Amino acid sequence: MEMALSGGLFFWPKEFTLEAYRVILRYDYLWVAFGNSAFITAVGTVISVLFTATTAYPLIKKFLPGQKTIIFLILFTMLFQGGLIPTYLVVKELGLLNSLWSIILPTALSGFNVVVVISFFRTLPAELEESAMMDGGNPITIFARIVIPLSKPVLATIALWESVNLWNNYIFPLMYLNDKAKYTLPILLRDIINGQETAKQTGEVLTTATESVVAATIVMVMIPIMLVYPFLQTHFAKGALVGSLKQ
Amino acid sequence: MKMARAVSIAALACAMVWLAACSSSGGQNTSGNAGGPGGAGSSSGTGASAGNGGNGDAIHYDVFLNFAAPEYPADGGKGKGVLLEKAGIQGIDFTVTLASGADYFTKLNLKAASGELPDYFSVDIPTMTRFADEGMIRPLDDLIDKAPVLKSTLRESDLEAIRYNGKIYALPVGYRPEPFNGPSIDGFLIRKDWLANVGLEQPKTLEELHEVLRRFTFDDPDGNGVDDTFGISAEKSTNQYPTKFETVFGAFGVIPHFWHNVDGRLKQGWVLPETKEALTVLQQWYAEGLIDPDFPIMERKQLEEKFINSKVGIITASGFWMTPAQPQNAAIKKLTPQAEMAILPPPVGPGGRSGYPDAGPNYGNLKALSAKAENPEKWFELLNWQATDEGQFLVFGLEGEHYTYDREKNLVSQKVTYSDLYAEGFSNPIRFFQVVDRRWLDNEESREGIMIVNNHTIENEFWKTVPAMLKYPDLPLLWSEYLVKIVTGIWTVDKWEEFVEKYYSQGGKEVEDEVNEAWSGQ
């Protein structure tokens, strides 16, 4: 840790130490926060993808009454938001304060994602669905068995965006969660970093350099989402309709 | 046709937004009524007090502090019980919620806007004035008067600095009587071993300091055979601390960004002729190569690195550096085992004056009481107890278990880290009234260094912010620019007169008038 304070530029690390990690791992709440973040990310992503897909699908049907109006209203939310305090009041009145659902539900459906999925669904040939209908499929089976499997790439993209957003989400947990047991990783890590800075200023005795702890906390947050990334990444590359339809 | 449709869609959207707003405010009323007697159960405060069962009749205080302690337990842990028991005040209970940094204020504003203002919470000056204007917080004058121990630890100048509309709306920190517990900790930190290497005594005057700087720069004080050292360095200016090398200005009796009383009128130090004299000295030092040329762009971290790596002999730093347990101290000792440090008494200028800038009120640690807080006298009984000798020790935990106290040496030896204390619910998270207490400093030199700084300060006559300062926020930057360009010799010292002119014509006049008006009203 003395090396981190003396700074300078050198190619080879001067010494190896895990002291900074030991400092962070001492916080009991780290594992609670890990659990909360994992829950929010996993459940939030599933809900978000499900809602986005089920919202977008009917909206590509021209015969749906008020289809244009609904799309307009969705676009409207992309341009005009309620603002911080009104949103907070809504969350409060819904009784979601201090609940992990307050992070998941208010942003479950994003206007932008719906538009992306709609435009993807529009590229699916209507003939495909018609032939499925001929074979006796009802709209729900068509959606579940034909549309969803064909849309894996776009859904994976949405899932990736959402999961990164939820994992990194900082401002919502900050506003809505008061209880220590509900803290998520970004909030906790911010606290750890601020705590180190305060300790340094007030002359409290530290066992490691502030910069090392900051760097170690960043690594701790990054690792899980980095592990997920490559698996979703492969979906980006895949062609959308390969093998489903020959024209 | 298309146009008409777009309009009708827009109208529909507006109607929906309006409906949503209505139903939301309606919901607020009903839940407000329902939440009254039973407790809504949605906020952490009510949840925790309900959990305390037996203590059902206690007055519950919802405390929200700007502090980072990720270890602090949600239920208050052991510390909460110990505090309430030791203080011996019946019928009160509290929950502490923590947030830190700028986000604390985001959250505080949300709570205030949604009608959930905590009972006792950290504020800064702008928040304090805003909440006071809206009548959300309570003047504390009468309560402070009824808390004699607490009152005795407060500095009159701090109270003066935060007085708003003639009343005190927030509680600053208190100080223990020992001189090493004073508010200022930063002074000229010098490499004592370098002094010995070049065969000089600690400099007492500006001239002696000049000689020391010359030898530090040219006589290879670290003995590595390379000419790689500078006498003195500083970090870059910020809006809050626009002046560097304050102590050199202090040797002429001014601190450029402080307000000085000149024949009954307050003037900012940088318009006074003493500033020009100090600039002359600094320009000469720079021309001789004694000042590190990187100072106008230096970050704090870099500056500390330079000192740790034995590249500079003097920087402005805290007295904590001499304590072996401090990381900076360990870092220096690792690279240069024979390194010694000391805090210099401020060098005396030709006119016999000297001084470090007074640290001023600790704006980062003000606390306010909600106007709606129940039975505020009772809460102040607790704060008053925290100011007593016994109460102050709670920051270190429990005697024997977390620390030992050597009465003779007035020394607190801590057995556990703060992190462990926080995890058990002790120390800063429940330090509702803070009395600065550095009795843990086990290093005599550190104690002495901080004492030196506090015994030699130049006071600022006016700490408050007047509206004109917000209207002309760039004045400190103007000063920084002239300071850097004059010191580095790009401009001659006479350019200082141009600065004074510019300062007055670009809003300084208005600032000075407003400051004097506010000051004479005190």
Side-chain angles (χ1 to χ4, degrees):
Chain A
M1 68 137 181
E2 291 87 4
M3 285 305 162
L5 279 174
S6 58
L9 194 65
F10 35 82
F11 188 72
W12 298 109
K14 286 196 181 164
E15 68 182 309
F16 182 80
T17 170
L18 288 174
E19 188 55 43
Y21 288 93
R22 215 169 291 148
V23 168
I24 318 169
L25 293 177
R26 224 178 28 217
Y27 300 109
D28 296 341
Y29 285 99
L30 186 73
W31 306 113
V32 176
F34 246 119
N36 288 340
S37 276
F39 174 81
I40 288 173
T41 310
V43 177
T45 309
V46 170
I47 287 183
S48 177
V49 170
L50 186 73
F51 282 8
T52 309
T54 49
T55 307
Y57 184 58
L59 291 176
I60 58 166
K61 304 295 176 200
K62 290 274 191 302
F63 55 80
L64 181 77
Q67 174 223 12
K68 287 245 165 80
T69 314
I70 296 171
I71 292 181
F72 172 79
L73 288 177
I74 287 172
L75 288 176
F76 190 80
T77 65
M78 285 171 67
L79 297 173
F80 302 97
Q81 277 110 25
L84 191 70
I85 290 173
T87 313
Y88 180 82
L89 290 175
V90 169
V91 170
K92 187 183 157 204
E93 295 307 323
L94 289 173
L96 289 177
L97 273 193
N98 238 345
S99 151
L100 294 179
W101 294 102
S102 65
I103 318 300
I104 298 171
L105 296 180
T107 54
L109 202 55
S110 124
F112 180 71
N113 288 353
V114 172
V115 170
V116 169
V117 176
I118 286 179
S119 57
F120 185 88
F121 282 170
R122 279 196 180 135
T123 65
L124 297 178
E127 294 83 3
L128 200 62
E129 285 180 49
E130 277 163 20
S131 54
M133 193 78 86
M134 299 285 214
D135 292 342
N138 62 35
I140 292 181
T141 38
I142 293 173
F143 176 68
R145 309 271 296 272
I146 311 277
V147 178
I148 292 286
L150 286 177
S151 311
K152 266 190 205 152
V154 73
L155 296 181
T157 312
I158 300 286
L160 185 70
W161 287 343
E162 278 301 318
S163 58
V164 172
N165 269 344
L166 286 163
W167 184 262
N168 287 341
N169 200 336
Y170 175 69
I171 190 78
F172 281 0
L174 174 81
M175 292 188 313
Y176 303 143
L177 306 176
N178 295 316
D179 195 342
K180 255 319 202 353
K182 301 279 165 54
Y183 265 26
T184 61
L185 268 185
I187 299 283
L188 186 83
L189 296 177
R190 175 65 190 257
D191 265 4
I192 292 176
I193 292 171
N194 281 347
Q196 289 282 320
E197 294 287 344
T198 318
K200 191 175 161 192
Q201 278 160 20
T202 51
E204 279 173 24
V205 174
L206 300 170
T207 48
T208 181
T210 314
E211 280 76 15
S212 314
V213 175
V214 173
T217 47
I218 291 168
V219 171
M220 290 301 292
V221 192
M222 249 166 47
I223 286 178
I225 205 80
M226 264 172 64
L227 293 180
V228 180
Y229 210 92
F231 296 104
L232 291 169
Q233 178 75 32
T234 53
H235 287 277
F236 285 127
K238 281 193 184 157
L241 285 169
V242 179
S244 70
L245 189 82
K246 301 269 183 334
Q247 275 184 333
Chain B
M1 183 62 208
K2 241 186 169 168
M3 188 68 192
R5 236 172 97 189
V7 169
S8 69
I9 288 171
L12 181 68
C14 290
M16 285 185 79
V17 169
W18 181 73
L19 274 176
C22 273
S23 68
S24 151
S25 69
Q28 190 169 359
N29 284 340
T30 48
S31 99
N33 292 339
S42 61
S43 83
S44 69
T46 29
S49 73
N52 263 351
N55 218 0
D57 297 332
I59 306 172
H60 185 266
Y61 295 96
D62 187 6
V63 182
F64 186 41
L65 299 180
N66 183 356
F67 190 81
E71 310 89 340
Y72 186 72
D75 61 354
K78 192 174 163 193
K80 176 174 161 179
V82 171
L83 169 61
L84 290 175
E85 189 199 316
K86 279 202 172 187
I89 297 159
Q90 299 300 317
I92 63 169
D93 189 16
F94 63 82
T95 346
V96 180
T97 315
L98 303 170
S100 54
D103 307 317
Y104 168 83
F105 291 99
T106 315
K107 205 160 172 172
L108 181 66
N109 287 333
L110 273 177
K111 284 179 182 243
S114 63
E116 291 179 336
L117 193 68
D119 294 312
Y120 187 68
F121 51 95
S122 311
V123 286
D124 56 5
I125 297 254
T127 314
M128 180 194 85
T129 49
R130 190 160 47 87
F131 283 10
D133 285 339
E134 289 168 14
M136 291 163 82
I137 53 177
R138 188 186 188 292
L140 305 173
D141 304 67
D142 55 326
L143 294 170
I144 292 175
D145 284 337
K146 280 186 221 149
V149 187
L150 178 146
K151 195 180 179 186
S152 69
T153 63
L154 296 174
R155 291 209 309 170
E156 190 51 44
S157 58
D158 286 2
L159 292 178
E160 203 45 63
I162 58 168
R163 205 182 288 275
Y164 179 67
N165 289 344
K167 295 213 173 73
I168 291 164
Y169 282 96
L171 209 53
V173 300
Y175 294 94
R176 277 189 62 80
E178 296 93 348
F180 60 83
N181 281 320
S184 307
I185 52 170
D186 284 349
F188 266 165
L189 184 72
I190 190 170
R191 281 288 293 272
K192 228 163 76 179
D193 56 319
W194 282 19
L195 274 179
N197 289 352
V198 299
L200 287 175
E201 290 291 306
Q202 278 203 3
K204 291 191 187 61
T205 65
L206 211 53
E207 261 168 49
E208 286 173 24
L209 180 66
H210 185 194
E211 180 58 24
V212 166
L213 294 181
R214 197 154 33 207
R215 303 284 285 276
F216 274 10
T217 308
F218 301 113
D219 284 6
D220 190 22
D222 55 345
N224 66 351
V226 188
D227 180 14
D228 60 351
T229 53
F230 285 103
I232 188 169
S233 190
E235 69 203 280
K236 67 177 185 189
S237 307
T238 62
N239 230 344
Q240 207 182 350
Y241 303 102
T243 312
K244 298 297 116 191
F245 311 109
E246 292 102 329
T247 317
V248 176
F249 290 92
F252 294 89
V254 293
I255 300 295
H257 57 281
F258 276 15
W259 291 93
H260 296 281
N261 184 347
V262 185
D263 304 327
R265 185 172 166 85
L266 289 191
K267 285 185 179 207
Q268 221 152 359
W270 50 48
V271 303
L272 302 176
E274 288 88 347
T275 293
K276 191 178 176 185
E277 295 174 49
L279 284 172
T280 316
V281 169
L282 286 168
Q283 196 186 50
Q284 187 201 340
W285 288 2
Y286 188 89
E288 290 175 29
L290 311 181
I291 297 177
D292 179 0
D294 288 348
F295 84 89
I297 52 159
M298 187 95 74
E299 297 289 342
R300 180 77 202 171
K301 171 108 177 41
Q302 277 177 292
L303 179 69
E304 292 188 359
E305 281 173 17
K306 286 205 175 198
F307 191 80
I308 288 169
N309 285 310
S310 299
K311 300 291 175 221
V312 240
I314 298 179
I315 63 170
T316 301
S318 79
F320 297 142
W321 280 60
M322 275 88 78
T323 304
Q326 288 290 312
Q328 292 100 333
N329 188 293
I332 290 190
K333 287 276 160 70
K334 179 152 191 175
L335 290 169
T336 320
Q338 70 277 18
E340 295 283 335
M341 288 165 279
I343 292 277
L344 281 183
V348 182
R353 300 206 267 184
S354 69
Y356 287 120
D358 184 69
N362 189 346
Y363 288 143
N365 202 335
L366 296 173
K367 296 186 185 83
L369 191 64
S370 162
K372 289 198 190 120
E374 225 180 306
N375 201 345
E377 289 81 11
K378 202 125 195 174
W379 181 248
F380 260 67
E381 270 181 52
L382 180 69
L383 299 186
N384 192 47
W385 180 80
Q386 292 205 321
T388 62
D389 270 338
E390 193 193 358
Q392 287 175 17
F393 273 117
L394 218 58
V395 70
F396 303 113
L398 292 172
E399 180 154 16
E401 192 179 337
H402 301 122
Y403 71 94
T404 54
Y405 177 55
D406 186 336
R407 229 154 280 272
E408 197 103 312
K409 289 189 194 153
N410 198 18
L411 173 70
V412 174
S413 313
Q414 290 172 275
K415 293 179 174 174
V416 297
T417 62
Y418 277 93
S419 177
D420 297 329
L421 284 174
Y422 297 159
E424 286 189 55
F426 284 101
S427 197
N428 291 312
I430 55 164
R431 207 180 187 187
F432 304 133
F433 175 66
Q434 183 186 351
V435 181
V436 171
D437 186 349
R438 305 196 186 100
R439 283 177 295 177
W440 49 267
L441 260 183
D442 56 355
N443 182 283
E444 212 36 60
E445 288 167 322
S446 276
R447 286 188 175 204
E448 200 175 313
I450 293 173
M451 193 180 82
I452 288 172
V453 175
N454 280 297
N455 285 346
H456 300 86
T457 54
I458 294 181
E459 301 285 326
N460 188 1
E461 302 284 344
F462 191 84
W463 280 109
K464 284 183 237 185
T465 306
V466 293
M469 290 182 190
L470 304 175
K471 199 168 153 193
Y472 305 107
D474 290 340
L475 287 175
L477 290 182
L478 184 72
W479 162 246
S480 305
E481 187 193 349
Y482 274 82
L483 173 72
V484 167
K485 289 199 169 156
I486 292 176
V487 170
T488 53
I490 295 175
W491 288 342
T492 63
V493 178
D494 291 329
K495 272 274 194 179
W496 169 78
E497 269 128 39
E498 184 188 290
F499 161 75
V500 176
E501 254 168 54
K502 270 199 183 169
Y503 165 78
Y504 277 121
S505 66
Q506 293 181 8
K509 182 89 187 73
E510 211 174 317
V511 174
E512 195 178 293
D513 287 345
E514 282 188 22
V515 165
N516 277 286
E517 198 181 320
W519 180 63
S520 57
Q522 275 180 12

